Amino acid sequence: MTPPWSLPLNVPPEVLQELSKNLAPNGIADYAALTVFSAAAATFLSRGYLWDKPDPLHHLWFERPQLKNGGAIGSATKETRNIAKKLDESNKDLVVFWGSQSGTAEGFANRLAREISLRFGLSAMTADLSDYDPETISEIPESKLAGFLLSTYGEGDPSDNTAEFWDWISKTKDKEKLLSSLRYFAFGLGNRNYKYYNRVVDVAVEALDKLGANAIMPTGKADDAEGATQEDFMAWKEQLFAVFKGLGLQEHEVQYVPTLSVQEDESLEPIDLHNGEPDGSSLKAQCSPIRPLSISASRELFNSSDRHCLHIDLDLTTQPEFTYKTGDHLAIWPGNPDAEVERLLQSLGLTSRRDIPISIKSTDSATKVKIPSPTTVATLFRYYLEICGPVNRDNVLGLAQFAPTPDAKAYLQQLGQDKTSYAIFINKNHVNLGRLLQGASPEKWNIPLSYLVETLPSMQPRYYSISSSSVITPRKASITVSVSTAPVPENGGELIHGVTSNYLLAVSENLRSSPHPEGLTYHLNGPSDFLQGGKVLTHLRKSKFKLPALSKLPLIMVAAGTGLAPFRAFIAERRQLQQIGKETGELLLIFGCRRQDEDFIYRDELQEMQNALGDKLRVVTAFSREGKKQYVQDKVSEVSDDVFRLIEEGANFYICGRAEMAREVEKAVAEVMTVKGHDDVNEWRTRMKRRNKWQEDVW
């Protein structure tokens, strides 16, 4: 039969009528075929509308992180990635590069560049190492100076934004004269409790010197083991300034000159304002976007009236792009407590102006505005600045110029000038900005908002190890939160409240219609009230702290306190694999806390998993304030035969907790291996870490 679409246009009507009779559906089979054909056609035509929709975030896989602030390849307004060209275009004499994981090195870089400009008249700028192509450092002329402030974290790792620079110096270290025109100085941030103390700055300086760069002074180093980072930085900074004077630079009296303009603008409407939503442009590739998540459940883990530890479940079902793997981290973006926000507003005389719109703009093309603008002062203090942290001595001295009375000025100058006196004062008082101003003078302080934006750290997220398994609960992520509330030493009446942990405690208690135990209140509805109903702002971060691909490999896990969190997930995942018939290796968990009946978190769950796993799981406990005082490193030595046997059988070794604990555990394991006959323990340990069989998640 000739198909109807090939018939000529002048077909007689009677032929068409007969044809339509023959083509009409006749019987169940015809109707069924027609139904299938119609469904297939509808499915095909709805592609891209009802199904197989293009991922709106697909383009992010191809974006360079440095272009996340609005730049675009080929755009006329794109910032240059050539640092030498940037220095020339902005007429700068000096650049301070920073590599920072938590924001401390970035804050130091900003302070240093600002003070160099004020004290010596040099035009200085700061630079995120990820914003510039590292090879262009070789183009910086000898007439200019470069500083490198580099932090070390984890196992001697560089910060995320240092990765490109790190790769470059590793690959080009044999080109001896490449940086012969570069004059530089360097300062490292680290913690002596970590095995690779300040490794990043050491490696960077060695590479710079091999490339022909000229250091104008010895490398400075901060040690946070005893909380001395601020004082170490200040001491090194004074040495740097002495070198500057030796180079013939003239020192001037320091007077505040703003690099930012903060102005009220009542013409702005509420819809124009940023109400506290975090700026996620600085998040790196291993992080998800920032999104609100609902707390689906929260429970107390401690059996104590004055100490709190929370298990919090977060519902991921509303955020399809949120996918995690066992061992990843979840970040919480907190808000500051109402009392501290109100205290600071009152000290500055801004209580009545709290909701007036303000615009924050840079007065220097080389200075980036890190605070979303426009906004309000109340939002600035609640969400965008860290107002609860202690004030360093540098800032105490800087605030003296804005004192409302001669007595207040003298008080701050005396407090800030003497290192010993300030240390004694800090030991007796928790001095954040609001408390310091109130204590120095009850009168109104005329401190420019630009000064506070420039000197106070930006609010940072706090990261928690996810304590659930993505295999078991892929759309629910759990975190374990130790709530930090402690009295200041030598002053039992005043409490220091951890910012994020107490914020989470307030959210959790509010879900139960209960107040915060210490009476703290927060704006729990969040920016623009979109956190109503127990939501928090979060993002996910990929981690290298992972289970081995082979489930039959044994695991040794050492944890103290909330360091147990990721191991709860590890053990649960191994139990799940065993239940579906997979071969699983032996698990040895060494866990420490204060007291068995008070803060042994997840004890019942661990018992259930022991029952399910049988002889596959052994739990060894250490209690530091019950019976014979013991720590996890003591238990490592106590069960040395099992530790050695499992390592010889190919076990992965994991440590999670504080850095000083990890250091002691590593010493204990090294002693075990030495006693058991390993001649070169360092080589063994290096080999283990290179193969990812020794992993640490420490803070």
Side-chain angles (χ1 to χ4, degrees), residues 221-252:
K221 295 181 183 180
D223 181 10
D224 201 40
E226 302 297 331
T229 296
Q230 292 282 350
E231 290 295 339
D232 290 341
F233 172 70
M234 291 174 67
W236 170 81
K237 184 183 64 174
E238 290 305 316
Q239 294 172 13
L240 174 64
F241 292 166
V243 170
F244 281 179
K245 286 184 279 189
L247 293 173
L249 295 174
Q250 187 70 35
E251 187 172 11
H252 310 286

Side-chain angles (χ1 to χ4, degrees), residues 364-381:
D364 182 346
S365 62
T367 301
K368 291 184 178 180
V369 177
K370 297 296 183 73
I371 304 297
S373 175
T375 184
T376 66
V377 179
T379 300
L380 183 68
F381 293 164

